Amino acid sequence: MPSAVILIADGTEEMEFTITYDTLVRGGVKTISAFVPDLTLASSGGEVHRVSPPVAKGSRGINIMPDTYFDQAHCGPDSYDLLVIPGGAKGAETMSKSPSVQELVKKYLENDKWVGMICAGSLAAKTANLPRQKITSHPSVKAELQQDFEYIEEPVVVSGKLITSRGPGTAFPFALTLVELLCGSEKRAEIRGPLCFPPNTPF
Amino acid sequence: MPSAVILIADGTEEMEFTITYDTLVRGGVKTISAFVPDLTLASSGGEVHRVSPPVAKGSRGINIMPDTYFDQAHCGPDSYDLLVIPGGAKGAETMSKSPSVQELVKKYLENDKWVGMICAGSLAAKTANLPRQKITSHPSVKAELQQDFEYIEEPVVVSGKLITSRGPGTAFPFALTLVELLCGSEKRAEIRGPLCFPPNTPF
């Protein structure tokens, strides 16, 4: 059974998080969410210790309880097949500026595992110093990416094992693409029907 | 500022809940979620008292912390302009079988306020004994609705103040329709752009 870890932080775009998580579960992917604390909140400069379990406050105010804390040792490519970094300006900033997250992004790709980034989550490709390749993101962070990458304005961009996407409105094709890559095109087709997309939906 | 209350329960479809809540907030609608307990869990037959705040376990395992408990007195049409009942088989069952929810659905419509139902949430139209009118739902509960209503297989059905929709794949057009009805078509167009739907998306 393929597996995935989806990062979540205060300020994560809750639609991108939820659509990806839910669709992966529908595809039969063992999925967990891992909370990345905002280290700038720590007056001591060390790890932030919050109430347990923590609650991530989404970008539009929905409070989501993560399944676990983010921990580089337990969220690595030896444990999961896919690492997902959702958007939401503040949440993506917390994740992309985390040295542990940056290192994990590189480790997943080095180990030939999948990495998905959507919306402002694509900033982690830059902070992780990934080599120049095809990428997309939310238009609001295009300027920060177009120098270092081959920026493409398509709903979902597959570049080797790195999958990037644009925003809440592309979260379904992003998630369905991840299901297809992890579980095959038949599984994608199987779970698409009950989602009830309107006729002529282009994904 | 228009306002909305979205019900949530254990088993609520988390994409339908989250897309509707988030999109309404983007539209400038003051939105809160209210937790409906599963009364069949109460051995005493009375209200279920859970830890506070409660956490709703979504249909695919995402734990969402509601903003408040459902309370007929404080969730009525004198407090909010819109009542939303999301799907997810188990969550929709809990809501549609709740006499308090049934009464509230009728009160909203009697007071010329909006009611939105999506997916299996449309079952509440039946349990609230709403008069025969145009309706849609997830295909899985069509058989329970087509005798009492004029069943239509369209992504979003507007029947007076009752708006119904089909599933996670129609949650965006459902939510955008609610924004348009509460805030106008200009607001709908304004928030649609940054969502970054793929070209030719039919909503």
Side-chain angles (χ1 to χ4, degrees), chain B residues 83-105:
Chain B
L83 171 70
V84 178
I85 302 181
K90 177 63 188 154
E93 184 185 350
T94 296
M95 294 173 198
S96 63
K97 288 189 174 173
S98 158
S100 300
V101 172
Q102 293 162 10
E103 200 167 320
L104 216 53
V105 166

Side-chain angles (χ1 to χ4, degrees), chain B residues 9 18-19 27 36 41 43 51 56 58 92 126 139 146 148 156 159 161 165 167:
Chain B
T18 301
I19 292 169
V36 182
L41 293 176
S43 56
V51 291
K126 180 175 181 173
Q146 59 183 356
D148 298 317
V156 183
S159 169
K161 295 284 183 172
S165 189

Side-chain angles (χ1 to χ4, degrees), chain A residues 13-23 25-26 55 59-67 137-139 155 166-173 193-203, chain B residues 13-23 25-26 55 59-67 137-139 155 166-173 193-203:
Chain A
E13 216 303 319
E14 45 269 74
M15 295 194 279
E16 294 165 0
F17 170 84
T18 302
I19 291 169
T20 306
Y21 189 121
D22 186 315
T23 303
V25 170
R26 285 170 179 256
V55 169
S59 64
R60 269 71 189 182
I62 298 178
N63 289 310
I64 295 175
M65 189 169 289
D67 299 323
S137 72
H138 196 270
R166 308 208 78 201
T170 63
F172 274 116
L195 291 171
C196 294
F197 291 107
N200 303 316
T201 294
F203 47 82
Chain B
E13 216 302 321
E14 45 270 76
M15 295 194 280
E16 294 165 359
F17 170 83
T18 301
I19 292 169
T20 306
Y21 189 121
D22 186 316
T23 303
V25 169
R26 286 170 178 256
V55 169
S59 63
R60 270 70 190 183
I62 299 178
N63 290 308
I64 295 176
M65 188 168 289
D67 299 322
S137 73
H138 196 271
R166 308 208 79 200
T170 62
F172 274 116
L195 291 171
C196 294
F197 292 107
N200 302 317
T201 295
F203 47 82

Side-chain angles (χ1 to χ4, degrees), chain B residues 20 84 116-118 156 163-165 170-179:
Chain B
T20 306
V84 178
M117 299 174 178
I118 181 168
V156 183
I163 322 300
T164 52
S165 189
T170 62
F172 274 116
F174 173 67
L176 289 168
T177 299
L178 294 175
V179 167

Side-chain angles (χ1 to χ4, degrees), chain B residues 18-175:
Chain B
T18 301
I19 292 169
T20 306
Y21 189 121
D22 186 316
T23 303
L24 286 170
V25 169
R26 286 170 178 256
V29 178
K30 182 170 173 268
T31 304
I32 71 149
S33 57
F35 182 77
V36 182
D38 178 1
L39 293 182
T40 63
L41 293 176
S43 56
S44 65
E47 286 285 324
V48 180
H49 293 287
R50 293 169 50 131
V51 291
S52 176
V55 169
K57 192 170 188 68
S59 63
R60 270 70 190 183
I62 299 178
N63 290 308
I64 295 176
M65 188 168 289
D67 299 322
T68 187
Y69 277 96
F70 171 71
D71 173 333
Q72 203 180 328
H74 297 101
C75 293
D78 45 338
S79 305
Y80 300 94
D81 301 304
L82 165 68
L83 171 70
V84 178
I85 302 181
K90 177 63 188 154
E93 184 185 350
T94 296
M95 294 173 198
S96 63
K97 288 189 174 173
S98 158
S100 300
V101 172
Q102 293 162 10
E103 200 167 320
L104 216 53
V105 166
K106 281 182 282 195
K107 271 194 190 168
Y108 267 73
L109 296 171
E110 283 164 12
N111 284 271
D112 208 32
K113 296 292 183 90
W114 302 99
V115 175
M117 299 174 178
I118 181 168
C119 195
S122 294
L123 289 173
K126 180 175 181 173
T127 57
N129 279 313
L130 296 189
R132 185 177 182 83
Q133 57 193 298
K134 290 189 294 179
I135 202 171
T136 195
S137 73
H138 196 271
S140 59
V141 296
K142 175 182 176 180
E144 296 176 64
L145 293 167
Q146 59 183 356
Q147 300 276 27
D148 298 317
F149 296 93
E150 184 189 341
Y151 195 89
I152 299 179
E153 293 188 354
E154 282 175 10
V156 183
V157 172
V158 180
S159 169
K161 295 284 183 172
L162 177 66
I163 322 300
T164 52
S165 189
R166 308 208 79 200
T170 62
F172 274 116
F174 173 67

Side-chain angles (χ1 to χ4, degrees), chain A:
Chain A
M1 183 191 241
S3 56
V5 57
I6 306 183
L7 303 187
I8 185 167
D10 286 331
T12 289
E13 216 303 319
E14 45 269 74
M15 295 194 279
E16 294 165 0
F17 170 84
T18 302
I19 291 169
T20 306
Y21 189 121
D22 186 315
T23 303
L24 286 170
V25 170
R26 285 170 179 256
V29 178
K30 182 170 173 268
T31 304
I32 71 148
S33 57
F35 182 77
V36 182
D38 178 2
L39 293 182
T40 63
L41 292 177
S43 57
S44 65
E47 285 286 324
V48 180
H49 294 287
R50 293 169 49 132
V51 290
S52 179
V55 169
K57 191 170 188 67
S59 64
R60 269 71 189 182
I62 298 178
N63 289 310
I64 295 175
M65 189 169 289
D67 299 323
T68 187
Y69 277 95
F70 172 71
D71 172 332
Q72 203 181 329
H74 297 102
C75 294
D78 45 339
S79 304
Y80 300 94
D81 301 303
L82 165 68
L83 171 70
V84 178
I85 302 181
K90 179 61 188 156
E93 185 186 351
T94 296
M95 293 171 198
S96 62
K97 288 190 173 173
S98 158
S100 300
V101 172
Q102 293 162 11
E103 201 167 319
L104 215 54
V105 166
K106 281 181 284 196
K107 270 192 189 168
Y108 267 75
L109 295 171
E110 283 165 13
N111 284 272
D112 208 31
K113 296 292 183 89
W114 302 99
V115 175
M117 300 174 178
I118 180 167
C119 195
S122 295
L123 289 174
K126 181 176 181 173
T127 57
N129 280 314
L130 297 189
R132 184 177 183 83
Q133 58 193 298
K134 289 189 294 179
I135 202 172
T136 196
S137 72
H138 196 270
S140 60
V141 297
K142 175 183 177 181
E144 297 176 64
L145 293 166
Q146 60 182 356
Q147 300 277 28
D148 299 317
F149 297 92
E150 184 188 340
Y151 195 91
I152 299 179
E153 294 188 354
E154 281 176 11
V156 183
V157 172
V158 180
S159 169
K161 295 282 183 174
L162 176 66
I163 321 300
T164 51
S165 188
R166 308 208 78 201
T170 63
F172 274 116
F174 173 68
L176 288 168
T177 299
L178 294 174
V179 167
E180 182 172 349
L181 292 169
L182 288 167
C183 312
S185 54
E186 280 183 27
K187 179 57 80 175
R188 175 182 178 148
E190 175 193 322
I191 67 165
R192 188 186 184 282
L195 291 171
C196 294
F197 291 107
N200 303 316
T201 294
F203 47 82

